[in-house]
Amino acid sequence: MKKPYYYFKQLLLLIIVSLVSSSFISSISIAENVDEINPPFGLRHYDIGKAPDFILNNIDGEKFQLSEARGRWIFLHFWASWCGPCREEMPAVQRLDDIFQKDELEIVMVNTAEDEDTIFEFLAAINVELNSLLDSDGQVTEVWKPRGLPTSFLINPKGEVKYQAIGGREWDKTEYVQFIRRLIATSK
Amino acid sequence: MLPIIPLLAVISNLQVATPVIIKTTELELEFTARSANQMASFYEARGFPKTMLSILKQQCFITVGITNTSNKKIWLELSNWTFSSAGKPLKREHRDYWKNRWQNMNIPLSKQSTFRWTLIPETLDYLPGEREGGNIILPFTKDAITLEATFATGENKQGKTITINTDKIFCAQDAP
């Protein structure tokens, strides 16, 4: 006959295995419920399905196609130099870019309907290293229909639009950085 | 930081009329009239053609800022806003009217786009705490403008309707 100590050990082992399993299962369920992560103030759920694709040149003349940037979260940001909040927000977008690796979060800036010289002078004047795509005739912006300028969209690695932010934000604030980290974690 | 109206920030250095502010328990509205020269200098600096500027100079521009101070969703629908002056209706042109007008004049797409971004959207839902706005364009009048506006509330617009009234809005005029 086995000693009571043996049964105690078996019970303890069972409890440990259960705890580890439940923790593993719960971590999987978080990963599956990305849509249930509540965004911080200023960001709203914006499930419109596949991100409308576009091809635009940046200020260096290089082509960028949105659909080719899948596999990471995209921070798509519409702006114009005449928009005061855009100007105020830009350094925070730069800091957000500094925080994340490009294979986790890629910042894609789209200037709305301004010429190359205006954009170049503006970015140099506010001392940011960010490049920007040129939506010279404003037609890509029309398709995306941001509610105002600036507006940012978060697109998941499958190319689906998930969140929208209107107005300038301090993107390097803990609440936004943690939120984006959680999004990135769910897609790993 | 709360979203701010882009145009407000851009022309904030210019002399502006005293804003009309309306506060209810659910929302706050701010109306600031912009004179013809104020608006023309903004658009001129963006390279707008003279033909476009001469039309815009004849209008009455009101910059509207709306803040949802409630804890539920509030819906802006400009079709539910009625303007009148001296006892007669004052027609606010829909953004599509301007789009067609600029298209018929072959205004460059980039200028059309910039113009549209300075207008307040025809419809917009405001989450608690959100502040957004833009311009409304009315025919110029020297008389006081009366506005009656209603806002639906709630996720499906089934909540209480908010009504606001004012007869204190005036178009801004440049000094002679």
Side-chain angles (χ1 to χ4, degrees):
Chain A
M1 191 179 157
K2 287 173 179 164
K3 292 178 184 170
Y5 178 66
Y6 171 83
Y7 291 110
F8 177 73
K9 265 173 63 181
Q10 291 294 313
L11 185 64
L12 197 64
L13 190 65
L14 191 65
I15 289 169
I16 290 168
V17 167
S18 306
L19 282 173
V20 169
S21 311
S22 71
S23 154
F24 177 68
I25 287 164
S26 91
S27 75
I28 289 173
S29 73
I30 286 170
E32 286 172 347
N33 290 322
V34 60
D35 292 339
E36 290 170 12
I37 299 176
N38 281 328
F41 176 78
L43 268 167
R44 51 162 69 197
H45 284 286
Y46 191 64
D47 282 305
I48 59 162
K50 288 282 175 215
D53 198 15
F54 60 78
I55 302 174
L56 289 173
N57 283 351
N58 67 15
I59 49 179
D60 298 326
E62 296 161 341
K63 270 197 168 44
F64 173 89
Q65 181 163 8
L66 183 64
S67 58
E68 285 182 1
R70 292 201 183 142
R72 73 202 79 159
W73 280 86
I74 300 284
F75 180 91
L76 180 64
H77 182 72
F78 288 88
W79 69 282
S81 69
W82 52 263
C83 141
C86 300
R87 199 163 36 231
E88 287 173 23
E89 182 184 40
M90 202 67 79
V93 178
Q94 173 74 68
R95 291 195 294 273
L96 185 70
D97 189 45
D98 295 341
I99 290 169
F100 290 96
Q101 301 291 324
K102 201 178 170 186
D103 61 355
E104 294 177 321
L105 179 77
E106 182 171 0
I107 310 280
V108 177
M109 309 232 300
V110 178
N111 174 272
T112 300
E114 292 185 294
D115 60 56
E116 211 168 315
D117 290 345
T118 307
I119 298 166
F120 190 79
E121 281 171 27
F122 172 80
L123 291 177
I126 59 165
N127 198 23
V128 294
E129 292 171 4
L130 297 163
N131 204 318
S132 181
L133 301 173
L134 314 174
D135 181 20
S136 303
D137 58 10
Q139 297 310 291
V140 167
T141 313
E142 289 294 320
V143 170
W144 271 82
K145 291 184 175 56
R147 289 159 57 103
L149 295 177
T151 289
S152 307
F153 298 92
L154 280 164
I155 304 167
N156 74 10
K158 292 178 193 165
E160 298 159 339
V161 186
K162 287 293 173 189
Y163 300 92
Q164 184 187 44
I166 307 109
R169 307 276 152 208
E170 290 185 50
W171 288 108
D172 55 330
K173 266 189 159 181
T174 312
E175 64 205 89
Y176 295 118
V177 172
Q178 281 182 350
F179 172 69
I180 293 170
R181 282 200 202 289
R182 284 180 73 189
L183 294 181
I184 293 167
T186 59
S187 47
K188 277 184 175 168
Chain B
M1 186 175 76
L2 283 176
I4 308 165
I5 307 146
L7 193 61
L8 261 179
V10 169
I11 58 182
S12 61
N13 320 347
L14 300 170
Q15 191 184 356
V16 292
T18 309
V20 173
I21 296 171
I22 299 170
K23 287 182 183 178
T24 72
T25 49
E26 297 97 351
L27 51 75
E28 184 176 319
L29 292 103
E30 188 172 319
F31 300 89
T32 309
R34 311 287 178 186
S35 76
N37 280 344
Q38 285 172 349
M39 292 314 301
S41 22
F42 171 79
Y43 290 127
E44 205 168 358
R46 315 269 91 75
F48 278 37
K50 282 184 179 164
T51 47
M52 206 176 175
L53 291 174
S54 66
I55 292 169
L56 293 173
K57 276 184 174 179
Q58 295 164 28
Q59 315 301 319
C60 174
F61 279 81
I62 312 283
T63 303
V64 185
I66 302 173
T67 309
N68 179 355
T69 53
S70 77
N71 56 8
K72 61 196 168 195
K73 193 180 269 191
I74 293 181
W75 297 83
L76 161 72
E77 284 167 289
L78 288 183
S79 57
N80 294 332
W81 289 32
T82 311
F83 295 93
S84 61
S85 181
K88 292 177 186 168
L90 204 57
K91 190 181 178 199
R92 179 195 64 85
E93 297 293 357
H94 192 280
R95 61 169 46 220
D96 289 348
Y97 162 86
W98 293 107
K99 185 178 182 180
N100 292 335
R101 189 158 183 183
W102 304 140
Q103 277 177 350
N104 292 338
M105 290 168 62
N106 292 319
I107 299 294
L109 289 174
S110 60
K111 309 307 173 201
Q112 292 187 35
S113 178
T114 299
F115 173 79
R116 275 198 292 281
W117 289 115
T118 62
L119 301 180
I120 192 168
E122 293 290 321
T123 60
L124 208 55
D125 59 328
Y126 287 72
L127 295 180
E130 278 189 348
R131 173 178 167 79
E132 289 166 46
N135 282 331
I136 277 178
I137 303 178
L138 297 169
F140 182 84
T141 175
K142 286 182 177 176
D143 297 313
I145 297 168
T146 300
L147 165 66
E148 182 175 320
T150 59
F151 297 82
T153 64
E155 196 60 39
N156 301 310
K157 304 184 186 179
Q158 287 169 334
K160 184 185 88 170
T161 299
I162 302 166
T163 303
I164 65 109
N165 289 283
T166 178
D167 56 3
K168 294 185 169 44
I169 302 171
F170 285 87
C171 298
Q173 294 184 71
D174 291 301

